[in-house]
Amino acid sequence: MDKNNCSVDLRKLILMLSIVSGLVIVVSAFYAAYSVQRQQLIQASLANNYVYADKLAKTTDDFLGSAQQQLMFSAAVLSGKLNDKSTLASEVDRIRLQTDSFNSVLIVDVTTEVLATSPEALQITGLKLSTPGVLESIRQRAPVISNPYVSTAGNLLIFISHPIFSGNGDYLGFVAGTVYLKKKSALHRLLGEHYHKDGSYIYVVDQNRRLIYHPNAARLGETVDNNPLIDRLVQGDEGESIIVNSEGVEMLTGFAIARKTGWGVVAQRPMRAALAPLDNLMQQVVYKTLPAVILCFVVIVWSAKKISMPLRMLADGAQRMNDDGTEKNIQNVKSWYFEAQELKKAMLLGVGLLHGNIRKLREDLHKDPLTGLGNRRSLDAALQKFKNLQMDFSVLSIDIDYFKTVNDTHGHDVGDTVLQHLAQFLSHICRVDDVPCRVGGEEFIILLPGTHKVDAAKIAERLRQNVEATEIPVVGKITISVGISCYPEDARDVFAVFKHGDEMLYQAKRHGRNRVEVFRPARADAEASA
C-alpha cells in the first residue's frame, strides 16, 4: 500500500516537475531572445533614422545649392538688361518653368521695385516691397536664403536671392525665387517622401524654432517651444533619441543639421512599428515550436506511469533546454525501453526546433531582407572580429548613381529590383572572407580583410565595369560610384576610415559619378594646408 502510494506520488512529482520546468524554460528562452533582439531592433532603427535624417539634410543642402546656382546664372544673364522688359519677363518665366525649384520668381531693382514676376497672377510688378527677404537681399547685396516669413501675397515662404551687378561692379538689384511652405513644391516633395508608411514622418525646423516642413500642414510656420529635441537642434547637435511626441506616441528619432541654412531635419518612427517585425517573427517561432512542446508533455504523461529514473534524467534536461549542451545530455539518457526512447526523440525534436528557430531569428536580424546581404549589425560584428584579430582591411563605400531617378521614373518595385541586381554583383565579386553589406537605401559597403588599397581599387574598378556593362530589365544600364579607404593606413580610428570612404564616394559623385576614388592622406593634408 505504501509502495503504491509512493509510486503514485513519484509519478505526480515527475509530471509536475516536467510540466513546470518545461514551461519556465520555454518562456525564459523566448523572453531572453525577445529582449535581446528588441534592443537590437531599437538601436538599428535609431541608427537608420539618423542616417535618413542626415541624408535628407545633405539633400536639402544640395537642393538649395542648386537653386542658388540657377539664380546666379540668371543674374549674369540679366546684368545690363534690367531696362529690357521683354527680357526680364522671359527670364523669370524661364527660371520658374525650367525646373520646379521655385513657386514664384521675381526681379527687383535697387529701390526694391519689382521689375518682373512669374507667375503674373501675383500682380506685384511695379510695386515696391518691404518684406524681410527683399530687405535682407538689398542690405546684404549677396546670395541670401531667408528665414520663413509671410509674403505680400499672404504666402508662408522661403526667399532665395542672388545679386545682380553691372559690368562695372555696380549693384543693380537681385533676382529671387520663392519656395512656398504651405503649397506643393520641390522642397515639399523632397521631404515628404518617407521610406516607411507606418506612422513615420519627417519635420524640419529653422534656427528660430519655426516649423518649415511638417506632414500636418496646419502646423507650418508654428514656433515650437519647450521641446528638448529642438533645443538640441538649435544648438547644432545631431544624433539619435527616444522621445514621446505631442500625441503621446513613443518615437525612435534621428536628427541632423542642414549646414547651408542651419535647419534641423528630424526623422521619427513609432516604436511599435519598429518592433512589429520582431513580434511577427516571435509569433511564428511560437507556432512552430508549440506542437513539439505539446508532444513532449503528452509523451511524458503517458510514459511516467511506469518509469522513474529515465524520466527524472529527461526532466533535468528539460530544466536546461536553452543550454547548448542539452541535446548531448538527452542523447546520453539510456532509454532501455520503448516509451523512454520515444520521449527522448520528442524532446530532442523540441530542443532542435527551439534552438533552430532562435538561430534563424538571429540570422534574419543580421541580414537585409531585400538583398540578402548583411546589415549594420553584421557590419559591426565583422569590424569587432577584425579588431580582435588585429586585421587590416579596406572599405568600399558604394552608391548607385541617380537611383532616385530610377524610383521616380519606374517606381519603387523596379528600384528594389535594381538593388537586388547590385547585391548579386557584390556577392559574386566578393571572396569568402569579404563582407558585403547594405547600409542604407542605395548605399552599400564591402569590407575587404587583409586587402590594401591598390588591390581594393582593382576589385572596385572590376565591379564598376561589370555593373556598367550589364543590362537590367526595364531600367537598362546603371552605374555606381565607389569610395575607398583603408585601415589602419588611412586612420587608426575605424569611424575615421569610414568617413574617409564616404568622402571619396562624394568626391566620385562630384567628379562625374561612375568612377572609383581612393583616399590618399598626403593629398588630403596638402589640400587642407592650401
Side-chain angles (χ1 to χ4, degrees):
M1 184 69 178
D2 292 336
K3 289 183 178 180
N4 289 336
N5 290 337
C6 182
S7 176
V8 171
D9 293 340
L10 180 60
R11 183 169 64 246
K12 290 180 179 179
L13 179 61
I14 291 174
L15 292 173
M16 182 183 67
L17 289 175
S18 299
I19 293 173
V20 172
S21 61
L23 288 175
V24 169
I25 290 169
V26 170
V27 171
S28 298
F30 278 104
Y31 177 77
Y34 181 86
S35 298
V36 171
Q37 303 306 332
R38 179 180 184 275
Q39 185 60 31
Q40 290 181 343
L41 274 179
I42 290 173
Q43 293 300 324
S45 188
L46 285 170
N48 288 338
N49 280 343
Y50 170 69
V51 170
Y52 188 62
D54 184 60
K55 188 175 184 65
L56 277 180
K58 290 182 173 65
T59 304
T60 300
D61 277 342
D62 291 342
F63 166 80
L64 294 173
S66 175
Q68 287 183 312
Q69 286 180 343
Q70 293 180 56
L71 296 176
M72 179 178 67
F73 176 84
S74 182
V77 171
L78 294 170
S79 178
K81 298 181 180 179
L82 293 188
N83 294 323
D84 188 340
K85 293 185 178 181
S86 62
T87 298
L88 298 183
S90 174
E91 186 64 11
V92 292
D93 283 338
R94 182 193 66 79
I95 297 172
R96 184 175 67 87
L97 299 175
Q98 186 176 30
T99 67
D100 59 352
S101 299
F102 304 109
N103 294 95
S104 66
V105 179
L106 63 156
I107 299 172
V108 179
D109 68 12
V110 71
T111 69
T112 73
E113 181 181 349
V114 179
L115 302 180
T117 183
S118 178
E120 276 294 335
L122 294 176
Q123 297 182 352
I124 59 174
T125 302
L127 298 180
K128 290 191 176 184
L129 302 181
S130 59
T131 58
V134 171
L135 296 180
E136 185 178 1
S137 299
I138 293 291
R139 183 175 62 254
Q140 292 195 17
R141 300 191 176 189
V144 167
I145 299 176
S146 75
N147 290 324
Y149 68 90
V150 177
S151 70
T152 302
N155 294 311
L156 179 65
L157 55 78
I158 298 166
F159 193 86
I160 305 173
S161 70
H162 195 281
I164 301 173
F165 293 97
S166 69
N168 297 326
D170 296 326
Y171 178 70
L172 303 177
F174 61 85
V175 57
T178 61
V179 179
Y180 296 164
L181 298 181
K182 291 189 176 182
K183 296 183 180 180
K184 296 296 183 181
S185 66
L187 182 61
H188 189 280
R189 288 194 300 276
L190 174 69
L191 297 172
E193 294 178 358
H194 201 279
Y195 63 96
H196 286 302
K197 307 299 180 184
D198 51 11
S200 302
Y201 64 91
I202 300 291
Y203 70 86
V204 181
V205 296
D206 67 10
Q207 284 293 296
N208 295 322
R209 303 172 180 269
R210 196 171 192 178
L211 288 173
I212 296 174
Y213 172 80
H214 195 280
N216 181 0
R219 298 193 63 186
L220 289 175
E222 175 184 335
T223 300
V224 182
D225 294 317
N226 301 321
N227 186 312
L229 179 59
I230 293 180
D231 291 342
R232 294 179 63 181
L233 286 169
V234 171
Q235 295 170 7
D237 196 6
E238 296 181 319
E240 310 157 2
S241 182
I242 300 176
I243 67 168
V244 178
N245 69 7
S246 58
E247 297 178 354
V249 179
E250 192 172 24
M251 306 292 284
L252 302 174
T253 303
F255 50 97
I257 302 296
R259 299 299 173 187
K260 188 176 287 294
T261 58
W263 297 345
V265 180
V266 181
Q268 298 191 138
R269 190 181 188 193
M271 177 79 76
R272 64 178 183 277
L275 298 180
L278 178 60
D279 294 337
N280 293 334
L281 189 56
M282 293 302 293
Q283 287 178 6
Q284 294 178 17
V285 172
V286 172
Y287 293 151
K288 292 180 179 179
T289 306
L290 189 59
V293 174
I294 293 174
L295 177 62
C296 288
F297 291 133
V298 170
V299 173
I300 290 173
V301 172
W302 177 72
S303 303
K305 295 178 180 179
K306 293 184 178 180
I307 49 183
S308 56
M309 187 59 70
L311 276 181
R312 185 180 298 275
M313 296 175 67
L314 291 174
D316 290 340
Q319 294 179 13
R320 294 182 291 273
M321 191 176 290
N322 60 338
D323 292 346
D324 293 336
T326 298
E327 281 191 74
K328 184 177 180 181
N329 293 336
I330 294 176
Q331 287 281 10
N332 293 333
V333 174
K334 295 181 179 180
S335 52
W336 46 272
Y337 47 89
F338 176 77
E339 292 81 3
Q341 181 65 25
E342 293 303 307
L343 177 59
K344 175 180 173 180
K345 291 179 181 179
M347 290 193 69
L348 287 172
L349 174 62
V351 171
L353 283 172
L354 177 62
H355 287 183
N357 284 322
I358 291 177
R359 282 195 298 271
K360 183 178 182 301
L361 173 64
R362 290 173 178 168
E363 290 173 359
D364 288 345
L365 288 172
H366 281 77
K367 287 185 178 180
D368 174 58
L370 177 63
T371 63
L373 299 180
N375 57 17
R376 285 190 176 274
R377 285 183 292 279
S378 62
L379 182 66
D380 292 340
L383 290 173
Q384 186 61 48
K385 176 183 176 182
F386 295 167
K387 179 180 179 181
N388 294 339
L389 297 176
Q390 297 182 344
M391 183 180 294
D392 298 355
F393 61 90
S394 288
V395 178
L396 271 58
S397 296
I398 303 166
D399 190 270
I400 301 175
D401 297 330
Y402 304 110
F403 183 71
K404 185 177 183 300
T405 302
V406 174
N407 279 337
D408 292 344
T409 304
H410 303 286
H412 289 278
D413 290 341
V414 175
D416 289 346
T417 300
V418 171
L419 293 174
Q420 291 167 343
H421 274 277
L422 181 57
Q424 292 175 6
F425 281 116
L426 268 60
S427 298
H428 290 160
I429 203 169
C430 285
R431 302 162 297 184
V432 174
D433 294 329
D434 296 341
V435 183
C437 299
R438 181 188 177 204
V439 297
E442 70 270 25
E443 299 175 359
F444 296 80
I445 283 179
I446 301 178
L447 299 183
L448 304 176
T451 305
H452 293 292
K453 283 192 288 191
V454 174
D455 294 329
K458 293 177 181 178
I459 293 172
E461 182 60 27
R462 186 164 66 252
L463 172 63
R464 186 197 66 77
Q465 292 175 358
N466 289 343
V467 171
E468 184 182 18
T470 302
E471 288 277 345
I472 296 177
V474 180
V475 176
K477 293 183 179 181
I478 64 170
T479 61
I480 60 173
S481 298
V482 185
I484 299 175
S485 57
C486 183
Y487 174 88
E489 181 179 347
D490 295 333
R492 300 296 301 182
D493 179 63
V494 173
F495 176 80
V497 173
F498 276 79
K499 183 178 179 182
H500 293 327
D502 286 340
E503 291 171 354
M504 293 301 99
L505 175 60
Y506 287 119
Q507 182 168 302
K509 295 285 188 181
R510 290 194 301 271
H511 288 175
R513 296 179 170 83
N514 190 23
R515 60 187 291 121
V516 175
E517 293 284 355
V518 181
F519 182 78
R520 306 185 191 283
R523 187 182 69 185
D525 291 342
E527 291 176 355
S529 298

